Amino acid sequence: MTVTREQEIWAMALWVDREHGEDAERFIAERVLHFESQGDNGGQELWMNVARRYVELRDAIMTDPN
């Protein structure tokens, strides 16, 4: 089975949630800023994508089930 880039990003968002809990947003922001300071646009873009998925994940968790 081949894992897609999208699946990798979702896996990263889930990992961040599991490992960092309440500090997840701060951890992601630090990663984005780290790669920005290094001039690594690819790393920065990756973590910005993780941030987007993380927000979607948190929103889905906070939504009341039917």
Side-chain angles (χ1 to χ4, degrees), residues 2-65:
T2 303
V3 177
T4 67
R5 185 65 166 171
E6 185 68 17
Q7 290 169 321
E8 289 177 339
I9 294 169
W10 275 106
M12 290 174 72
L14 289 166
W15 174 84
V16 169
D17 183 57
R18 184 177 57 240
E19 294 297 317
H20 295 279
E22 292 180 13
D23 295 326
E25 289 180 18
R26 182 169 47 97
F27 176 79
I28 293 170
E30 289 171 354
R31 298 284 49 190
V32 170
L33 293 173
H34 167 78
F35 287 106
E36 180 182 41
S37 72
Q38 298 297 311
D40 184 341
N41 293 333
Q44 183 182 8
E45 182 179 341
L46 170 63
W47 281 97
M48 289 175 71
N49 284 323
V50 172
R52 288 182 193 100
R53 299 327 180 280
Y54 178 77
V55 168
E56 288 183 46
L57 175 65
R58 297 308 317 170
D59 288 348
I61 291 171
M62 300 305 252
T63 301
D64 288 338

